[in-house]
Amino acid sequence: MPSFAGVWKIDTGLSNVWDPSTQSYVPDEVGEEIITIRLDGDVQDYEVLYGSHPTVVMGYNSRYDSPEWVPYLVREVRDVSEAGLEADLARHRELVKSPASFMPGTAYGLVRSVYVDERTHYRVTKNQDSGIAEYVMMRRLSEDGNRYFATVLHTNGVINRTRHFVRVG
């Protein structure tokens, strides 16, 4: 049976983001996205290297179907330019259209993981300060286990991002 465990790289040619100013989907310009998913029974260790110059490393450890909310932490920031960390993170926030600080050691939000079946998982998120729901991400694995598709649905009902990933390890 195929599994999400492994290393995944974004297919930028198939992935996009909602642009509220044009009311359309446009290519996502955040850069690279490499995800590593490790599974140990019903516990998922999820780590993403997000963006290029800088690369924001974020992740969480969650037990599927647990009622516990866990922090989606910014673990580190790599590839900082001569402009410095603050300037690079301001650029990153602009690209991903997020007010999050992305400073190492801070939480991007709180998450819970939902297991539907071997090929379908959900990530439910909420703001750690207000407790208000933010988005739901559905991840669906291809039958052969070599690709997956992720859809991010915000609470306003708009699919904010679609992501296609290819297994690279």
Side-chain angles (χ1 to χ4, degrees):
M1 176 62 78
S3 168
F4 282 102
V7 180
W8 303 88
K9 182 175 181 178
I10 194 167
D11 181 337
T12 55
L14 295 176
S15 301
N16 59 49
V17 63
W18 178 253
D19 181 354
S21 64
T22 63
Q23 296 288 295
S24 64
Y25 291 96
V26 297
D28 195 339
E29 298 177 1
V30 74
E32 287 298 320
E33 193 168 346
I34 298 173
I35 294 172
T36 302
I37 299 173
R38 295 173 196 85
L39 300 173
D40 183 8
D42 64 348
V43 176
Q44 171 187 219
D45 175 40
Y46 177 95
E47 183 170 85
V48 59
L49 282 66
Y50 192 36
S52 303
H53 310 292
T55 300
V56 178
V57 181
M58 303 187 318
Y60 57 88
N61 291 291
S62 65
R63 183 174 304 281
Y64 287 113
D65 301 323
S66 171
E68 179 185 7
W69 291 93
V70 298
Y72 191 171
L73 291 174
V74 177
R75 294 176 174 169
E76 66 177 299
V77 178
R78 300 177 184 165
D79 306 318
V80 176
S81 74
E82 289 182 17
L85 182 63
E86 290 290 334
D88 283 1
L89 290 178
R91 181 181 157 276
H92 184 80
R93 283 191 299 275
E94 174 81 19
L95 287 173
V96 299
K97 298 171 180 38
S98 173
S101 76
F102 294 105
M103 288 299 289
T106 63
Y108 183 69
L110 297 174
V111 301
R112 289 174 65 181
S113 298
V114 178
Y115 179 93
V116 177
D117 59 39
E118 190 64 29
R119 293 180 42 222
T120 311
H121 300 170
Y122 284 86
R123 177 171 69 212
V124 181
T125 67
K126 70 177 181 176
N127 182 287
Q128 68 177 2
D129 297 322
S130 68
I132 295 173
E134 290 185 332
Y135 68 87
V136 173
M137 182 200 68
M138 188 268 306
R139 182 169 53 219
R140 178 73 175 162
L141 186 65
S142 65
E143 285 188 39
D144 67 5
N146 291 319
R147 297 183 70 81
Y148 81 78
F149 176 75
T151 303
V152 177
L153 176 68
H154 275 254
T155 56
N156 61 3
V158 173
I159 294 174
N160 189 50
R161 283 182 157 62
T162 58
R163 294 282 199 264
H164 291 259
F165 291 90
V166 178
R167 185 183 297 276
V168 293

